[in-house]
Amino acid sequence: MIILPHSKPPELEQLEALVPRYKRIDRIYQTIQERLGKELAGYLGERSLHYYIKLLNLKDHFLLFGFRAKGNDSYFQIDLLLITQSFILIIEAKHLKGTLSINEAGQLIQENEDEIEVYQNPLIQANIQRSQLSHLLSRLSLDLLPIYTCVTFTHPKSIININKNTTEIFPSQNLPNYIYKIQSQNQTPLISNREANTIANSLKIRHTPKNNNLINYYGITDHLIKKGVWCTQCKSMIMKRIHGNWHCSKCNHRDKAAHLQALREFAILYDRQYITNYEARSFLKIQSESTTKRLLSKFERKGDTKGSEYLLK
């Protein structure tokens, strides 16, 4: 049973909205573009785990995707947490391609097309997560099960060149076999299904998504954010509003509701729940106050004056 479903992290949504709208090609642009690539890779890696978990046909189990909470002294995040009546498994997913190895210093080395990247040892990361999770469960008086860890590489073009004695690191297609192995070592249930459910839901209550305001974090001024409604088909041009419709001059696509995605991006970019008519006009690049009012009429309104705000659900 999925207790915490897989979803796009708020930070990834912000980056997807920010990168196309940032006007300059500078150090900040390069930083947020690289950050987008890493966040997207992590998201795709976690999403691919769905398939392998389904292959197991597990009974009486609970899944939490992207679980993040306060541990001993800081926040920790787990890509996938599997809770059964016999054990808990922390699954760290890495979506990296190329040749992957761990050097004598314990660093993860990625070699891909004559480029070399160095990362922290993911198994050490997973073991730190285990320590933090153990502390949290102990604080809740729910430390009833042994906790295992593993690292799975999810990219189909990854070559894993790691010591055979390190059984906790493997390609994602080996995940079912690894879980079967743990099951065989923990066949006797230690708690009831109801107690396992309690652990899962107690953790879900404490799930705290990371939600940085990247515009503030990088000190991006508003004039560097490109305004307008992106074409909902080719996604490469700002659409113009013509006779009650949004029109793309590049692919000739028309979409009456294209402004809804733009308003969603406003909410994500500025971490806002409400928008005024003036702000909507500025962001959508509409001159008419009455047209903007009509577009916002289906949104819940707060206030009756010119400064009324509309709830961006």
Side-chain angles (χ1 to χ4, degrees), residues 250-263:
K250 182 177 181 180
C251 68
N252 209 32
H253 178 61
R254 298 174 186 273
D255 187 346
K256 285 187 176 182
H259 59 281
L260 295 178
Q261 176 60 25
L263 291 173

Side-chain angles (χ1 to χ4, degrees), residues 68-76 128-129 131-136 139:
R68 182 178 182 270
K70 185 74 176 289
N72 184 17
D73 53 2
S74 60
Y75 283 92
F76 67 101
I128 292 173
Q129 293 164 7
S131 176
Q132 294 277 44
L133 178 63
S134 178
H135 177 84
L136 175 58
R139 204 166 67 221

Side-chain angles (χ1 to χ4, degrees), residues 68-91:
R68 182 178 182 270
K70 185 74 176 289
N72 184 17
D73 53 2
S74 60
Y75 283 92
F76 67 101
Q77 184 162 332
I78 296 172
D79 292 336
L80 177 55
L81 190 62
L82 169 65
I83 300 172
T84 72
Q85 293 175 241
S86 305
F87 64 89
I88 294 174
L89 175 62
I90 293 172
I91 302 172

